[in-house]
Amino acid sequence: MKLSLVIPCYNEEANIQPMYDLCCDVLSEAIPSFEMIFVNDGSTDGTWTALKALYEQDRRRVRLVDLSRNFGKEAAMYAGLQRATGDYVTIIDGDRQQHPSVVLQMVRFLEANPDYDCVAAYQDNRKEGAFTRLCKKGFYKLINAACETTFRADASDFRTFRQGMVQSILSMKEYHRFSKGLFSYVGYQVHYLPYTVQERVAGKTSWSFRKLCKYALEGIASFTTFPLKIATVVGSIMSLLSLLYMIVVVIQKLFFGIAISGYATIVVLILLIGGLQMIMLGIIGSYVARIYIQGKHRPVYIAREYLSGDPEEE
Ligand code: UDP
Ligand code: MG
């Protein structure tokens, strides 16, 4: 049995060697054959130098992919998954926040349960502000209501797949890769495993609240089309209301002789309708933009270098 660890790294210079040591300590006895595929996602610090040093140290187990710039964690994971050859493939962060002992648990579970194809870890003790938690809850409610696949709150990218499921994930060639969605879209039997996130010891997180919001919108636009239907709903309601109002105005005019009400009402209505139309155009625009980008068929990432320990492959 062979295990591949896919490890996306962005500015993790100080974490590379400790991460390698930790994985070897925990895994090498239980799983004799495992490889570590580090993907350097355009780091601006010494991550690549640290990785190359590691590669010289252990060519048998370490493989490196160097992306030509920062393409984001989604692209980095994709680059790693494409090169993973193990029967089991694990995605794990390079910052030591996810402990390799959980990987062992995942692999053991898959070995003991042939009916399952994936083990996904979720955080059982999330340390977040109340506001962020509320937003996340709202996001999962919304996306689960709008989407045919179910998204489990708190489930992370920290997962172990069987190779077959990896192939299914890779078969989806879209440019905007929203992994949480792709993982649940392909289906298969997934087991959820609670785990405790370790504190970050070195480097810093690349997530801010703004980035989280962007990520959430990305997910909604990638996996649902309900925003496009808002126009139909709002339009129908407004048409109905204006029909009722028309009847009121006609009755007022015919039976009570009251003149049509004035300037202010008209201006407010024009502005309101104009605003709503702009919002709808913006929503349609964001979907058109996706079609445009996808239509160019650009690669999800560009690899500058690949060190696989096998001169022919490189
Ligand atoms: N990461 C990456 N590319 C990016 C941002 C992050 O490959 O553009 C990697 C990062 O090095 C880490 C993992 O993705 O290994 C998770 O990132 P981070 O620790 O910032 O996220 P958090 O743990 O705070 O959710
Ligand atoms: Mg982290």
Side-chain angles (χ1 to χ4, degrees):
M1 185 270 286
K2 185 177 173 187
L3 171 72
S4 301
L5 298 179
V6 170
I7 312 172
C9 302
Y10 176 62
N11 292 348
E12 303 285 5
E13 181 178 13
N15 284 318
I16 301 295
Q17 184 69 42
M19 176 72 188
Y20 169 82
D21 293 338
L22 186 65
C23 288
C24 289
D25 277 354
V26 178
L27 298 175
S28 43
E29 217 160 271
I31 306 170
S33 167
F34 76 94
E35 61 176 5
M36 303 170 80
I37 305 169
F38 288 91
V39 184
N40 176 33
D41 186 15
S43 301
T44 49
D45 64 353
T47 301
W48 182 239
T49 319
L51 284 174
K52 277 203 296 206
L54 200 64
Y55 180 68
E56 291 310 325
Q57 196 180 313
D58 183 357
R59 283 194 178 219
R60 191 171 65 86
R61 281 196 291 222
V62 175
R63 301 211 215 171
L64 304 182
V65 188
D66 187 27
L67 304 191
S68 59
R69 64 169 169 85
N70 179 248
F71 281 90
K73 188 184 174 189
E74 305 285 335
M77 291 192 294
Y78 183 61
L81 287 178
Q82 281 184 324
R83 291 167 173 84
T85 54
D87 309 301
Y88 298 111
V89 181
T90 301
I91 299 175
I92 182 170
D93 286 356
D95 55 9
R96 285 183 285 156
Q97 284 193 280
Q98 301 168 339
H99 202 274
S101 60
V102 184
V103 177
L104 212 55
Q105 265 174 281
M106 291 171 162
V107 171
R108 295 232 164 95
F109 181 89
L110 286 178
E111 280 190 320
N113 298 277
D115 291 344
Y116 280 86
D117 305 287
C118 171
V119 180
Y122 69 90
Q123 304 184 17
D124 55 359
N125 65 334
R126 222 174 179 141
K127 294 185 207 84
E128 284 173 334
F131 182 66
T132 311
R133 227 180 9 246
L134 195 76
C135 289
K136 283 196 176 171
K137 214 170 149 190
F139 166 73
Y140 281 107
K141 268 235 159 74
L142 185 72
I143 200 158
N144 277 326
C147 189
E148 60 194 279
T149 50
T150 358
F151 291 76
R152 186 177 164 124
D154 281 349
S156 58
D157 297 328
F158 185 22
R159 285 161 193 254
T160 299
F161 309 98
R162 283 184 206 281
Q163 184 60 245
M165 186 164 169
V166 173
Q167 291 310 316
S168 305
I169 293 164
L170 291 176
S171 72
M172 293 198 280
K173 301 283 179 211
E174 59 214 74
Y175 182 82
H176 297 275
R177 300 191 77 77
F178 181 68
S179 292
K180 263 188 211 293
L182 296 177
F183 296 158
S184 49
Y185 185 85
V186 293
Y188 291 94
Q189 290 297 325
V190 181
H191 172 70
Y192 291 93
L193 185 80
Y195 85 110
T196 311
V197 179
Q198 315 289 313
E199 288 294 335
R200 212 180 218 285
V201 235
K204 61 180 199 306
T205 175
S206 32
W207 287 101
S208 57
F209 186 73
R210 196 176 62 89
K211 271 199 175 169
L212 276 180
C213 290
K214 215 177 131 199
Y215 184 70
L217 290 179
E218 174 85 28
I220 290 174
S222 293
F223 274 85
T224 70
T225 49
F226 85 88
L228 291 173
K229 292 169 197 147
I230 295 175
T232 319
V233 176
V234 174
S236 312
I237 295 172
M238 283 180 63
S239 308
L240 202 74
L241 289 180
S242 48
L243 205 71
L244 292 178
Y245 187 57
M246 191 182 79
I247 297 171
V248 171
V249 171
V250 168
I251 292 176
Q252 277 181 337
K253 179 75 186 158
L254 289 182
F255 299 101
F256 304 102
I258 304 172
I260 313 292
S261 62
Y263 172 77
T265 324
I266 293 172
V267 169
V268 168
L269 282 178
I270 288 178
L271 289 179
L272 175 75
I273 294 170
L276 283 176
Q277 281 173 340
M278 285 299 182
I279 294 174
M280 291 310 159
L281 269 182
I283 292 176
I284 296 171
S286 74
Y287 281 88
V288 173
R290 277 159 187 281
I291 302 172
Y292 171 68
I293 299 284
Q294 182 74 45
K296 293 185 192 219
H297 295 299
R298 288 193 179 153
V300 176
Y301 67 89
I302 294 167
R304 202 180 67 83
E305 205 171 338
Y306 176 43
L307 300 174
S308 68
D310 175 358
E312 258 178 37
E313 237 182 301
E314 284 167 21

